[in-house]
Amino acid sequence: MLGRSQHLLSRDGTFRPENLGPKVLAMIGNLCFSLFVFGVLLFTIIAATYKPEDPLFHPSAKINSFLTSDTNATFKSDTTVVKTGEDFMAPNQTAFATFLNMTDVDNAVPEAIGEMEASEVANCTGNPDEPIDCTDPEVFHLLMKAAIEKFKDIHFYRFGKAVRGNYDHSCHMAWRFRPIEGKTAAFYKDYRNFEVARSENCTLSVVRIGGYHSGGNARKKKKHQKGGIEKMIKAQEPANALPVVGEAVNDSLPVVESEGSFSRGKYLLYTPGGDRCKNMNHYLWSFMCALGEAQYLNRTLVMDLNICLSKIYTSSGVDEEGKDFRYYFDFEHLKDSASVLDKGQFWDDWKKWHKKDGLSLHLVEGFKTTPMKLVGVKDTLIMRKFGSVEPDNYWYRVCEGETESVVQRPWHLIWKSRRLMDIVSAISSRLNWDYDSVHIERGEKASNKKLWPNLDADTSPEALLSTLQDKLEDGRNLYIATNEPDTSFFDPLKDKYATHFLDDYKDLWNETSEWYEETMKLNNGNPVEFDGYMRVSVDTEVFLRAKKQIETFNDLTKDCKDGINTCTASS
Ligand SMILES: *[C@@H]1O[C@H](CO)[C@@H](O)[C@H](O)[C@H]1NC(C)=O
Ligand SMILES: *[C@@H]1O[C@H](CO)[C@@H](O)[C@H](O)[C@H]1NC(C)=O
Ligand SMILES: *[C@@H]1O[C@H](CO)[C@@H](O)[C@H](O)[C@H]1NC(C)=O
Ligand SMILES: *[C@@H]1O[C@H](CO)[C@@H](O)[C@H](O)[C@H]1NC(C)=O
Ligand SMILES: *[C@@H]1O[C@H](CO)[C@@H](O)[C@H](O)[C@H]1NC(C)=O
Ligand SMILES: *[C@@H]1O[C@H](CO)[C@@H](O)[C@H](O)[C@H]1NC(C)=O
Ligand SMILES: *[C@@H]1O[C@H](CO)[C@@H](O)[C@H](O)[C@H]1NC(C)=O
Ligand SMILES: *[C@@H]1O[C@H](CO)[C@@H](O)[C@H](O)[C@H]1NC(C)=O
């Protein structure tokens, strides 16, 4: 929890740029620590009282279908993307109203720099080849203005100070932003290269701004920098913890510091049930139940980060073991905001100390014992042991019946992997956050004329051209999210739109990408496949960030999502 608050409320504290008088600056050092402490407190209170709506009971109309379960049935074999905590944080527009605009930048910087600007100009020799001093406030000001002018479809919330780039006329600068038409609650971080030219009369200008994440030198905030105050300008940001996509991820496994703290702990562990290798909706619905029970009992959840990916998402067509929770979800957020421990680590510690410290185990068979009956249990470990008969061995059955109203699923603890969301952000940024999108579902449904009589014809290129002409302007960037493997099928659309597909962005997960390098580290140095779940996840999230979103069902065809005669009033 500390980690996150620290970078939400960085050491410069939260202040409006217009307050940046010299006296105030001097006071900030002292204020810093108290602000920090206050920030941590505030964050704690918000985290403790914040309850996003439960997706099952408040299905949101816009985003694709979520979970379909009735109390004892299994989940449909559904390849749609799971909704997670951040999807339920309403992007309350008033909370985001205070982005930085040109006036803020103009007001803040000259005040803070004073005479420096004059001396810099006075000393300019008029030699265009002279290196650019990126730390010069005048340059900082210039870069901020250039960024605000160039990127019209995003709002800026913070600028980090500029640093030297990779050559004499290059500066790198980082910022935090949100797309203006954002329907999601996250912040994004970008850092880019700026090429700066000096003319003979000493005027500076930005000649070129590099692509997404091209300014690596500005990426990391220096830790424990002396003096602490970074020359950053910041707008007021909502106090809620929000994902920051593009910030470095630290999702190393939590460690138990000492024997004492391990042996004093109380733990809850579920043995593998029939949920293993089921689809991701099912996995999460079950995992959230276990986490909910652990929180209800004030126990640390001993979790298995090793997950089995259902065959519906694998290229091999069979269930694949050995996937890591961190490929799909934000483990850093989870470990910072809840008490969890990896199973491997737990058993190592248990073996070391259970005899010596007399640690005891309370075994429960399956779901028949409710969490309410376990409140008084004093044993170190409660282990729920699940049998082999489906569906009685599904974890989520623990949360059914009378438990439903007592144990809440803590949705706010689960966010999507920020590494995947960074790919989404890179794609959207390459399209300048100014694109429309259409989701075209074909695959098996298109070939099943019995259940979907019109889908195939309604998603043919000819039909699409005619349906889309009323909905989209000609010449727009159009992102096509689809399960049609042969994208050349959509070639006729190129006459009217600039079409883009997920596979146009393969370099974001290829062997030289950051995603590849980082996931390989999580996998003991072995490469990780960009699997079907990741693909559909990124595809859907890029779709959801488009300005206009056109869905298959309802928008393109009158067929029902789940087959003939399954349309409901709401979907
Ligand atoms: C559970 O499912 C079975 C088989 O589908 C059905 O016979 C039974 O009535 C269901 N039980 C409940 C409580 O819905
Ligand atoms: C934003 O949240 C505040 C307080 O929770 C509420 O009063 C306001 O109506 C919300 N605004 C919007 C646009 O949802
Ligand atoms: C910038 O924001 C301030 C208030 O935060 C407002 O008074 C000013 O008009 C805005 N300037 C521009 C150029 O939008
Ligand atoms: C500019 O020149 C003055 C003397 O004329 C000197 O004191 C100052 O340090 C110089 N500034 C820079 C940035 O070189
Ligand atoms: C300096 O030169 C640039 C072109 O090289 C010109 O656009 C600018 O107006 C000049 N500025 C002044 C103050 O003369
Ligand atoms: C990641 O966080 C852990 C604490 O959770 C810390 O011990 C470790 O040094 C961090 N690693 C990096 C690379 O910052
Ligand atoms: C968990 O802790 C809270 C607050 O410390 C307490 O109110 C609650 O009764 C505890 N629950 C259990 C099951 O021990
Ligand atoms: C991966 O993408 C990078 C960046 O576009 C490119 O330079 C490189 O050739 C690609 N590598 C492979 C193996 O495709």
Side-chain angles (χ1 to χ4, degrees), residues 6-15 17 20 25 28-29 32 109 112 135 140 158-163 172-176 189 217-234 247:
Q6 239 154 359
H7 63 81
L8 267 186
L9 196 101
S10 66
R11 295 203 51 195
D12 52 348
T14 301
F15 52 85
L20 258 181
L25 268 177
I28 285 172
C32 220
V109 175
T135 61
F140 183 36
R158 285 184 185 191
F159 286 102
K161 69 179 176 186
V163 298
H172 290 180
M173 183 175 73
W175 58 83
R176 189 175 275 198
K189 183 174 181 176
N217 297 359
R219 177 176 192 179
K220 288 202 180 83
K221 266 190 275 171
K222 284 196 197 90
K223 275 187 213 148
H224 313 302
Q225 207 176 30
K226 220 167 176 208
I229 301 168
E230 279 189 299
K231 195 159 282 152
M232 269 186 137
I233 67 170
K234 279 172 67 170
E247 209 61 92

Side-chain angles (χ1 to χ4, degrees), residues 430 506-513:
R430 286 189 191 173
K506 271 185 177 147
D507 62 293
L508 295 170
W509 61 87
N510 83 7
E511 285 149 45
T512 54
S513 68

Side-chain angles (χ1 to χ4, degrees), residues 263-292:
S263 298
R264 274 194 307 277
K266 297 269 184 273
Y267 306 90
L268 173 70
L269 185 151
Y270 282 28
T271 67
D275 319 81
R276 208 156 171 88
C277 308
K278 292 289 193 295
N279 69 60
M280 207 58 100
N281 284 332
H282 186 144
Y283 170 77
L284 208 62
W285 191 239
S286 282
F287 177 70
M288 293 309 291
C289 173
L291 193 54

Side-chain angles (χ1 to χ4, degrees), residues 223 250 252 335:
K223 275 187 213 148
N250 177 359
S252 58
K335 72 171 176 177

Side-chain angles (χ1 to χ4, degrees), residues 227-269:
I229 301 168
E230 279 189 299
K231 195 159 282 152
M232 269 186 137
I233 67 170
K234 279 172 67 170
Q236 272 169 341
E237 288 167 13
N240 248 340
L242 293 173
V244 184
V245 174
E247 209 61 92
V249 177
N250 177 359
D251 52 8
S252 58
L253 300 181
V255 276
V256 177
E257 316 269 284
S258 64
E259 171 185 350
S261 65
F262 179 81
S263 298
R264 274 194 307 277
K266 297 269 184 273
Y267 306 90
L268 173 70
L269 185 151

